[in-house]
Amino acid sequence: MTNNQGFIQSGTGVACRVEFPNIKQFKNISTNGAIVNAELILKPVNNSYSDKYPLADSLSVFVGDNLNRISGALTNSAGTTVYGILNKKSDEFNENIGYTIPVGAFLQKEMLKASDSRSSLILTLPGISKSVNRIVLGNQKYADNKIQLKIYYISY
């Protein structure tokens, strides 16, 4: 990320990588617990899109290793490929505009991994090599359009 921003640009192969370095610490919350659901919410930076440069309706999401080698598309617990879906419902300050990615099954698997290896998510635009389009996203330190992670965890 540059200037607390992440970039995705189709046509050039620029993708955005998202890591979850502390996900294994969730195992310490309780002896018996599970991540039942989780959502990653990515918000495009204000003024980085317009009618001339519209936001893509979805993001393709892949699972990668520490060397960015892709092992496959992100799937849910049923094995169905999931995407980042754009919420276009505009409000007064465009606070609701963003991509939501269901990551519960991925994070549960990462939390339970026995090895120290960590997977990351690689975000691209659909048809990354077919056209030129771009998205600018804020990271967790970006002032106005922070990335958010909502985790729903149950102890039993």
Side-chain angles (χ1 to χ4, degrees), residues 17-18 62-72 106 110 113 118-122:
R17 175 185 166 121
V18 179
F62 300 95
V63 177
D65 66 9
N66 61 327
L67 298 176
N68 294 332
R69 293 177 295 209
I70 292 174
S71 59
F106 170 77
E110 285 295 295
K113 259 189 190 173
R118 284 198 308 251
S119 296
S120 59
L121 297 180
I122 309 291

Side-chain angles (χ1 to χ4, degrees), residues 1 42 46 67 70 94 109 111 153:
M1 294 241 177
L42 302 147
N46 291 341
L67 298 176
I70 292 174
N94 288 336
K109 187 175 170 186
M111 180 182 77
Y153 184 90

Side-chain angles (χ1 to χ4, degrees), residues 18-151:
V18 179
E19 297 178 335
F20 305 90
N22 300 316
I23 198 64
K24 288 188 180 191
Q25 292 178 6
F26 272 80
K27 283 194 284 192
N28 302 332
I29 292 175
S30 68
T31 307
N32 295 305
I35 295 172
V36 291
N37 194 9
E39 294 177 332
L40 183 65
I41 301 164
L42 302 147
K43 299 197 173 188
V45 169
N46 291 341
N47 303 316
S48 67
Y49 56 93
S50 63
D51 290 340
K52 187 176 179 183
Y53 298 105
L55 293 170
D57 289 336
S58 65
L59 297 176
S60 297
V61 187
F62 300 95
V63 177
D65 66 9
N66 61 327
L67 298 176
N68 294 332
R69 293 177 295 209
I70 292 174
S71 59
L74 178 67
T75 59
N76 61 19
S77 57
T80 305
T81 299
V82 297
Y83 298 88
I85 303 300
L86 178 63
N87 174 15
K88 293 184 195 171
K89 290 180 195 149
S90 179
D91 61 357
E92 187 178 353
F93 302 105
N94 288 336
E95 291 174 350
N96 292 330
I97 294 178
Y99 295 90
T100 301
I101 305 169
V103 293
F106 170 77
L107 291 181
Q108 173 69 9
K109 187 175 170 186
E110 285 295 295
M111 180 182 77
L112 297 176
K113 259 189 190 173
S115 71
D116 286 336
S117 70
R118 284 198 308 251
S119 296
S120 59
L121 297 180
I122 309 291
L123 312 175
T124 69
L125 287 162
I128 191 164
S129 61
K130 296 186 176 102
S131 64
V132 177
N133 199 351
R134 65 171 171 74
I135 297 177
V136 182
L137 302 166
N139 76 0
Q140 70 272 25
K141 294 179 182 171
Y142 193 80
D144 297 322
N145 308 89
K146 291 181 182 174
I147 189 172
Q148 297 175 358
L149 178 61
K150 295 180 181 178
I151 297 177

